[in-house]
Amino acid sequence: MAEVTVDGDRLVVRIQGLNKLWALKSRMRIPLSHVRGATADPGIAKERKGIRAPGIHLPRVITAGSYYRDGERVFWDVRDPAKVVVIELVDEPYARLVLQVDDAEKVATQIERAKAA
C-alpha cells in the first residue's frame, strides 16, 4: 500500500511495509507540474501489466515494481484492486503510478485540487 500526500508543490508517495521490498522503492517526490491527473480506477488491475523489470507479480496477491508496456514505464504497488488510484505523469521516469491507497477517490480528488490551486 502507498501513502500519497501533497507537500507544497510536490506529490509525495511513500510505499508502506514490506511492499518497499517487493517494489524496490520506498519514496518518490514528484513536482505537481509533472502530474497530468489522477483517477480512481479499480479496473486497471485486470489489464495486461507488461514486462516486469524489476518487480513481482503474483496474480490476485500482489503486483509491485516497474513494468514496461507499449514503450512506457509504469510503477505498480497493488494488492487490493478495489483501492487503486492511477496518477498520470509527464517528464518523469514513470508515465504512470498505479497505487493502492486507503481511499482512492479521496486521493484522486486531493491531487486534482492541488493541481488546480
Side-chain angles (χ1 to χ4, degrees):
M1 180 171 329
E3 176 187 311
V4 179
T5 57
V6 176
D7 182 15
D9 65 346
R10 299 225 176 238
L11 181 73
V12 179
V13 177
R14 290 181 188 91
I15 307 302
Q16 306 291 309
L18 285 177
N19 286 18
K20 291 179 200 179
L21 175 67
W22 309 127
L24 300 172
K25 194 166 291 288
S26 62
R27 184 176 180 176
M28 291 179 258
R29 293 181 52 85
I30 301 162
L32 278 174
S33 61
H34 292 191
V35 177
R36 289 186 21 212
T39 57
D41 185 0
I44 196 167
K46 295 178 183 175
E47 292 183 11
R48 184 174 57 90
K49 310 302 182 272
I51 298 170
R52 182 178 61 235
I56 187 169
H57 177 68
L58 298 172
R60 287 174 251 145
V61 177
I62 186 171
T63 303
S66 298
Y67 289 76
Y68 291 89
R69 179 177 163 201
D70 301 328
E72 293 183 331
R73 188 174 179 206
V74 179
F75 180 81
W76 285 77
D77 181 29
V78 176
R79 286 181 181 262
D80 182 354
K83 297 180 177 183
V84 169
V85 65
V86 179
I87 303 169
E88 300 284 338
L89 304 174
V90 63
D91 296 330
E92 288 291 322
Y94 294 104
R96 191 173 309 109
L97 306 177
V98 182
L99 306 169
Q100 176 186 330
V101 294
D102 281 331
D103 186 338
E105 291 288 341
K106 180 180 175 184
V107 169
T109 300
Q110 174 190 15
I111 292 169
E112 292 297 324
R113 283 187 182 149
K115 285 200 51 62

